[in-house]
Amino acid sequence: MRVEKAMARYLEVYLALYQREPKELRDLGDEWVLVNGARMRVDELENLAAELSREYQQVLSNKRSIVKKLMNWFSKA
């Protein structure tokens, strides 16, 4: 159950960040997974998903900042 949950979370965040699926995401059994050619433990996959999530949040924050600046600029024009 933990492996499926970690893989689903990684897939969700990867899709949000890159607008495409990872090339490879497979359960190898015994809490090992294969992600884009890299073999890793489920713990590492969970950490990777958390890192991608932080990166995605930063992208969203940057977009919001740009929109706010544009709205401010247009309101002054």
Side-chain angles (χ1 to χ4, degrees):
M1 184 70 170
R2 180 175 175 222
V3 174
E4 293 90 15
K5 198 173 189 179
M7 288 173 59
R9 175 72 178 134
Y10 176 80
L11 180 61
E12 174 189 343
V13 174
Y14 193 95
L15 280 169
L17 186 59
Y18 299 115
Q19 287 82 46
R20 62 181 169 86
E21 292 187 1
K23 292 180 183 177
E24 190 171 30
L25 182 59
R26 264 192 307 148
D27 182 359
L28 299 177
D30 240 4
E31 295 209 352
W32 285 93
V33 292
L34 190 64
V35 180
N36 294 335
R39 185 174 178 237
M40 63 181 71
R41 304 278 306 163
V42 175
D43 294 337
E44 294 171 301
L45 181 60
E46 290 170 338
N47 291 337
L48 181 58
E51 186 177 320
L52 287 180
S53 182
R54 285 188 296 273
E55 188 175 328
Y56 180 63
Q57 292 304 317
Q58 185 62 47
V59 167
L60 290 180
S61 177
N62 290 346
K63 285 181 182 179
R64 276 189 223 106
S65 176
I66 290 170
V67 169
K68 284 181 182 179
K69 286 178 184 176
L70 283 171
M71 288 175 64
N72 188 29
W73 184 80
F74 281 123
S75 70
K76 291 180 180 179

